[in-house]
Amino acid sequence: MSYSHEIDIALLAVQRATLLTQKVFHNNAKGTLSKDDRSPVTIGDFGAQALIIAALRHNFPNDEIVGEEEASSLRDNPSLAEQIFALVRESKLDDSSAESQLGGPIQDLDAMLAAIDAGKSSGGSKGRIWALDPVDGTKGFLRGGQYAVCLALMVDGDVKVGVLGCPNLPVDDAAPISADVGGEGKGVLFAAVQGQGATSRPLTRGALASAKTISMQEVGDITQATFCESVEAAHSSHGDQAAIAKRLGITKESVRMDSQAKYGSIARGAGDLYLRLPVRKDYEEKIWDHAAGDLIVREAGGEVTDAEGKRLDFSIGRTLKANKGVVAAPRGVHRRVLEVVKEVLGNK
């Protein structure tokens, strides 16, 4: 199956959602709430989720969706809900054909709340399920750093389509990896379909721009590799990752950035390695934090496993219960990186 319709809708839906997230940021209307796990949820999270789910329901009404947010807090806060709905209504693609492909604007506030709440699938190994993170890297978004709008389609637990919208990454695939923020020449859409390779294209305000094939760069001398890691020490063990870099002979400072922008960056050769090692034995990664990036890196010629060498398993539910950590690298060096990961973690 080509998944041509799915990838087109996913790309347009993510692109439209980035219009909203950028507007929210530039208007300083970020307005945060706290979830039960104390992580911040912004107006951008709710608005982007509503826009993307509305587009998915219009095109694929029988598909399930695993979304990060739910609307109960908005129902308890009508003024915030109205503020978000106004932003959602304003967030339209300039190209009328592209906008109509997504089903046009959300009609009213109740429809927006219903769309947000349609992301309650429990996931699993059967059928077509979309995994959505409307603003991955919320803290990065809040401080003007890297963030991503992330969408992936799983069929019977296997990721078939992945899209990342990264408004603050440079369009130029050859630009060196950096945690710097956007400006002119910034904003990129990464995409992959299983078996069809990975691409990047500039984010636009209308129809999709032309895509270019991307691939990971080969690493001849691993001591010269650049590796990325999360900004937040709560998400990833910086100490273990530094020890691994030292054992590999890597002396370059790591690049710390939020979100699945790290997957996109290494997929196009701007960086080489991405390590996300567990900080707690009981921590379970969320599927929406990895599904799109995992496919994009693998389709760009990379290898993605957990810290034990197992492929990431998206078929179990809303989390990667069977996996601990993430090790992403070009195929030629992944085995060596994984050996060192096991050595460092085994010595603890």
Side-chain angles (χ1 to χ4, degrees):
M1 186 172 174
S2 71
Y3 295 101
S4 57
H5 184 44
E6 285 84 351
I7 190 67
D8 283 349
I9 295 304
L11 282 162
L12 287 171
V14 167
Q15 182 158 277
R16 182 171 70 170
T18 65
L19 300 180
L20 181 142
T21 62
Q22 291 176 90
K23 184 164 193 159
V24 166
F25 180 78
H26 290 300
N27 287 357
N28 295 313
K30 294 183 273 291
T32 63
L33 299 169
S34 285
K35 283 190 281 199
D36 291 341
D37 63 1
R38 296 194 299 280
S39 59
V41 189
T42 69
I43 287 171
D45 288 89
F46 289 119
Q49 178 152 321
L51 284 168
I52 290 174
I53 290 182
L56 294 178
R57 292 173 87 192
H58 177 75
N59 284 274
F60 313 110
N62 297 320
D63 290 4
E64 292 185 28
I65 302 164
V66 176
E68 186 172 13
E69 313 307 341
E70 52 89 26
S72 59
S73 57
L74 297 184
R75 290 191 168 89
D76 295 337
N77 191 337
S79 63
L80 181 60
E82 289 285 0
Q83 185 183 356
I84 293 168
F85 181 58
L87 283 161
V88 165
R89 290 284 293 181
E90 292 168 6
S91 301
K92 300 174 187 173
L93 294 169
D94 290 344
D95 183 87
S96 58
S97 173
E99 181 67 26
S100 68
Q101 279 181 264
L102 299 180
I106 295 175
Q107 291 305 306
D108 54 39
L109 179 59
D110 286 342
M112 182 190 80
L113 296 174
I116 294 170
D117 271 341
K120 291 183 176 177
S121 168
S122 56
S125 61
K126 300 294 181 191
R128 290 167 50 103
I129 305 171
W130 296 85
L132 164 63
D133 192 341
V135 177
D136 180 30
T138 302
K139 290 182 180 178
F141 172 70
L142 288 169
R143 67 170 168 266
Q146 295 299 340
Y147 72 97
V149 178
C150 314
L151 183 62
L153 172 64
M154 300 167 296
V155 180
D156 298 334
D158 195 23
V159 185
K160 301 294 188 183
V161 173
V163 172
L164 298 174
C166 302
N168 288 338
L169 280 182
V171 170
D172 182 4
D173 291 327
I177 191 168
S178 165
D180 292 344
V181 293
E184 291 304 312
K186 298 286 177 95
V188 61
L189 268 175
F190 297 103
V193 176
Q194 189 181 69
Q196 298 177 34
T199 62
S200 76
R201 71 186 81 209
L203 279 167
T204 77
R205 301 188 62 81
L208 294 175
S210 298
K212 292 191 298 181
T213 299
I214 57 171
S215 59
M216 295 193 78
Q217 64 177 358
E218 291 183 22
V219 178
D221 179 359
I222 201 162
T223 65
Q224 299 304 306
T226 298
F227 89 87
C228 330
E229 59 183 346
S230 299
V231 175
E232 303 295 329
H235 293 170
S236 191
S237 176
H238 290 163
D240 289 340
Q241 284 148 201
I244 289 159
K246 187 174 180 180
R247 287 204 188 198
L248 289 168
I250 297 171
T251 55
K252 273 192 251 179
E253 204 170 320
S254 70
V255 177
R256 291 181 179 174
M257 62 168 67
D258 296 279
S259 85
Q260 289 184 67
K262 295 184 285 292
Y263 279 113
S265 294
I266 68 168
R268 62 176 175 175
D272 302 305
L273 316 176
Y274 167 32
L275 301 177
R276 184 177 172 107
L277 301 181
V279 290
R280 302 194 321 266
K281 286 187 176 177
D282 62 342
Y283 184 73
E284 294 178 2
E285 297 280 355
K286 310 294 193 298
I287 62 171
W288 53 76
D289 283 333
H290 298 281
D294 169 83
L295 180 66
I296 289 165
V297 166
R298 289 188 292 107
E299 287 295 320
E303 196 76 44
V304 184
T305 68
D306 68 5
E308 297 171 348
K310 296 185 292 186
R311 276 278 308 277
L312 303 187
D313 186 349
F314 296 94
S315 71
I316 300 174
R318 292 172 69 91
T319 67
L320 296 172
K321 291 185 182 69
N323 301 110
K324 293 298 176 191
V326 176
V327 179
R331 288 199 181 106
V333 298
H334 185 274
R335 181 179 294 181
R336 173 63 185 142
V337 175
L338 186 61
E339 284 173 358
V340 174
V341 168
K342 289 178 177 178
E343 287 171 13
V344 168
L345 296 185
N347 288 337
K348 292 183 74 173

